[in-house]
Amino acid sequence: MTFMPQSQNTIDPDKLDKLAEVAVKVGLQLQEGQDLVVTAPVVALPLVRLITKHAYQAGAGLVTAFYSDEETTLARYQHGSDESFDRASEWLYEGMAKAYANGAARLAVAGDNPLLLSGQDAGKVGRANRANSAAYKPALEKISNFDINWNIVSYPNPSWAKVVFPDDPEPIAIAKLAKAIFAASRVDVSDPIAAWAEHNANLAKRSAWLNGERFAALHFRGPGTDLTVGLADGHEWHGGASTAKNGVTCNPNIPTEEVFTTPHALRVEGHVSSTKPLSHQGTLIDDIQVHFEGGRIVEAKASRGEEVLNKVLDTDEGARRLGEVALVPHSSPISASGILFYNTLFDENASCHIALGQCYSKCFLNGATLSQEEIKAQGGNSSLIHIDWMIGSNKVDIDGITPDGSRVPVMRQGEWA
Ligand code: ZN
Ligand code: ZN
């Protein structure tokens, strides 16, 4: 036998506490008396306890946490009836939608094993995702429409750590992932709240420049990529902190390095190759190559996970069109760490990316006042899904194309021009 230290000891408790504080004060800006709904993997319990403490210290009304567990998820694939894969717990999502409608904030702790479902039947995975997306829609709309303040942070799950650092013993892998999460989340500095204020100001400056330019399209060029992404009419760039419809200015993603906006659902032309693997609900999709015509993906290939990718694209009509385009410099701290996290929250912040599916209504001028019909008329896409995948690298150049057709360099070799 050999002595292995407890995995809890490999996560710095002070930094974990700072992460919880940043989640509540920066990520959510939780308001006095506001209720909070938390979802988390059960192994993230130490972080959820600290979040709950900081939430009540900030004056939270009622904090309610829901937990998931990887073994429990797998048990369905091993022993569940075939019919179970077309079902989801609608009552739970209806309850969450009701909580958000009544003003509750939403905090998700991410960190599940990105490969959890990679050995399972792709058809069942696809059906379960589809049923879940449909059931989740009423709650997800409150989030994607930015009705409420919401935030995602991550916890270094042992199973996730082993995917990111497969050659290290588990405690070392957890320690390395914890360190990377704390650095990317800017809680490894003496004053994380001040560090976030400075970071938000920098992202706001980039968004303001792009909003001033009012490009009609962005043109991406790189290995395997020649893609023109038309931007939606009246699109607006956002980055860092932004204000939800309930008036609360929050940081939905921690970490975040992106500035992003809404593409035009009908004006995307050309081909694009992914530059990092996409981890989608337990499966890995690698070397994605797609071809767009009139905004629609007409051909999709992948060296790994192609079947899952094509099932995702068949979710609904909007799943084949873009709902987001985002710019991230190649020198971003997450990219500079050189770590592939197999987690979109991190990997999307290492690279320029596009997202299939649902657009964010806040990425329109006066987005909060636009109806669904108006958003659609301006080119906003709608879908049950929103899946980000990475298309940027130090080999990709981006030009902005103005309404009169002239070109402005936006990025060269992955850096702001
Ligand atoms: Zn994004
Ligand atoms: Zn996205």
Side-chain angles (χ1 to χ4, degrees), residues 39-177:
T39 57
V42 71
V43 295
L45 191 57
L47 178 59
V48 178
R49 286 176 174 157
L50 293 168
I51 286 167
T52 307
K53 177 192 79 174
H54 282 287
Y56 282 123
Q57 283 174 347
L62 194 62
V63 181
T64 310
F66 297 92
Y67 298 95
S68 59
D69 167 61
E70 293 179 354
E71 290 297 315
T72 313
T73 302
L74 285 176
R76 181 184 181 191
Y77 285 87
Q78 282 148 9
H79 310 293
S81 70
D82 189 62
E83 300 85 81
S84 85
F85 293 95
D86 296 315
R87 297 188 53 207
S89 302
E90 282 164 27
W91 55 271
L92 177 64
Y93 294 125
E94 281 165 13
M96 286 182 182
K98 208 165 152 186
Y100 305 149
N102 291 333
R106 152 94 166 121
L107 196 151
V109 178
D112 283 323
N113 177 356
L115 303 180
L116 184 68
L117 301 177
S118 57
Q120 305 303 321
D121 177 75
K124 285 182 176 174
V125 173
R127 284 162 60 202
N129 286 344
R130 196 190 170 95
N132 203 59
S133 297
Y136 190 26
K137 199 174 182 203
L140 184 63
E141 274 176 353
K142 302 266 190 297
I143 298 167
S144 60
N145 291 338
F146 213 28
D147 288 352
I148 53 158
N149 43 330
W150 60 274
N151 171 244
I152 311 178
V153 285
S154 289
Y155 184 82
N157 269 6
S159 60
W160 178 25
K162 281 297 287 175
V163 171
V164 180
F165 302 105
D167 301 330
D168 291 302
E170 190 173 281
I172 307 286
I174 294 168
K176 283 185 175 175
L177 183 58

Side-chain angles (χ1 to χ4, degrees), residues 253 258-260 324-326 344 348-349 353-355 360 386 388:
N253 287 3
E258 62 174 342
V259 292
F260 59 103
E324 179 192 341
V325 58
T344 302
E348 77 160 342
N349 283 303
H353 56 271
I354 48 179
Y360 289 106
H386 177 98
D388 301 271

Side-chain angles (χ1 to χ4, degrees), residues 374-396:
E374 287 168 321
I375 286 172
K376 189 179 176 193
Q378 289 183 219
N381 192 29
S382 71
S383 170
L384 288 174
I385 64 159
H386 177 98
I387 298 173
D388 301 271
W389 53 286
M390 281 44 87
I391 62 167
S393 76
N394 58 356
K395 297 185 184 70
V396 175

